[in-house]
Amino acid sequence: EVNKRLKEIDSNRTEFVSIVAHQLRTPLAGIKWTLDMLINGDIGEMTLEQKAQLMKILDTNERIIRFVTDLLSISRIESGRLEYKFTPVNLNQIAESVLLDIYPISNKKQITVNFRAKGISIPEVAADTDKIMAVFQNVLENAVKYCPVGGHVTLDIRNKGSEIQVSVADDGPGIPKDEQKNIFKRFYRAPSAVKMQSEGSGLGLYLAKAIVEGHGGKIWFESEANRGSTFYFTVPIPKK
């Protein structure tokens, strides 16, 4: 009876999160649309200072939208309703797109991002483009976020025969051994990470793991305190 009740509570919690996330997405999208109009001068010209302040609000709104989207994905994962639309995908192209997205952050911190597989031909994989892109974003953004100013991040994509292996290495602070077992847990943020970056939901790697495994791949990492981290994930190459 206790187990049954706990399952009901967990199911109700998941459903509640899903409803709240759905209800928040519409007003947040409306705020984004209005801010875009103001910044673009569609409602009237603004000073540079006013635009700068609105850009800060827009950035905060984007982070909230991302968090709400993550919550919605979690509720779907836990209820077994996360759907995948598999199509032929080139992971190099996905990687280049994400690198462009995170360039403002890496440039601001003067971080050198080395994409070793740039221009190298690799086989296509069967993947959900949006979801596999989210994996790249989570892993690369983490590497840049926790890298010191002037640091280095290396992205590599290799054909391993039956699968494509992606690796993202950084020269950040690394993950202490006693924290490593929790890294892929939902909402977990290592104390060492919180000291460096107060912002964060602890959902990124949890979602990345669920998505990679949903593609039939694996995700893992190697890390040592004060010696950086390297995250790996694989996506199977379809059999001909």
Side-chain angles (χ1 to χ4, degrees):
E1 283 297 320
V2 171
N3 285 338
K4 183 179 178 182
R5 181 59 182 152
L6 286 173
K7 285 180 180 178
E8 287 177 356
I9 291 171
D10 195 51
S11 177
N12 290 339
R13 176 187 58 77
T14 299
E15 188 63 27
F16 173 75
V17 169
S18 179
I19 291 169
V20 170
H22 271 296
Q23 293 298 317
L24 286 172
R25 288 179 79 179
T26 300
L28 286 169
I31 292 170
K32 181 181 184 302
W33 178 71
T34 303
L35 288 170
D36 280 333
M37 287 183 65
L38 288 167
I39 292 168
N40 293 330
D42 296 336
I43 305 176
E45 287 302 314
M46 309 191 77
T47 66
L48 288 176
E49 177 60 28
Q50 288 172 327
K51 285 186 178 182
Q53 294 302 319
L54 287 173
M55 287 294 289
K56 291 179 182 178
I57 299 171
L58 181 62
D59 182 60
T60 300
N61 190 68
E62 292 278 12
R63 289 205 304 271
I64 298 172
I65 290 173
R66 177 94 173 265
F67 178 65
V68 169
T69 301
D70 287 349
L71 283 177
L72 193 55
S73 295
I74 283 177
S75 72
R76 287 172 177 163
I77 289 168
E78 294 180 342
S79 62
R81 293 185 290 111
L82 187 65
E83 297 179 353
Y84 295 90
K85 296 179 181 177
F86 293 100
T87 59
V89 171
N90 185 300
L91 293 185
N92 271 10
Q93 292 176 359
I94 297 285
E96 289 182 5
S97 176
V98 174
L99 287 174
L100 284 175
D101 287 343
I102 68 167
Y103 176 75
I105 310 170
S106 59
N107 184 55
K108 186 177 181 180
K109 292 184 68 176
Q110 300 175 0
I111 291 171
T112 301
V113 179
N114 179 25
F115 183 21
R116 286 182 177 170
K118 187 176 178 65
I120 296 175
S121 177
I122 61 168
E124 289 184 329
V125 297
D128 183 308
T129 301
D130 291 339
K131 291 181 178 63
I132 210 69
M133 184 175 285
V135 176
F136 274 94
Q137 285 173 332
N138 281 318
V139 177
L140 281 166
E141 284 179 5
N142 272 356
V144 171
K145 187 190 300 182
Y146 297 112
C147 222
V149 173
H152 298 79
V153 170
T154 301
L155 167 63
D156 197 9
I157 302 178
R158 297 187 180 186
N159 181 355
K160 291 291 187 175
S162 62
E163 62 189 11
I164 302 297
Q165 178 180 289
V166 179
S167 64
V168 177
D170 66 66
D171 54 8
I175 305 167
K177 279 204 178 303
D178 60 336
E179 298 175 3
Q180 293 185 8
K181 63 182 182 296
N182 298 313
I183 290 302
F184 292 108
K185 288 184 178 179
R186 182 184 57 187
F187 295 116
Y188 181 77
R189 295 196 71 218
S192 56
V194 174
K195 286 180 183 178
M196 289 189 65
Q197 289 284 340
S198 58
E199 294 181 357
S201 66
L203 296 176
L205 290 176
Y206 172 84
L207 286 171
K209 184 174 187 291
I211 292 169
V212 168
E213 291 177 350
H215 281 73
K218 304 182 296 293
I219 186 168
W220 71 98
F221 67 92
E222 296 171 354
S223 185
E224 209 174 315
N226 303 314
R227 299 192 67 176
S229 304
T230 302
F231 277 79
Y232 303 86
F233 68 88
T234 62
V235 181
I237 298 172
K239 294 180 180 178
K240 294 182 179 179

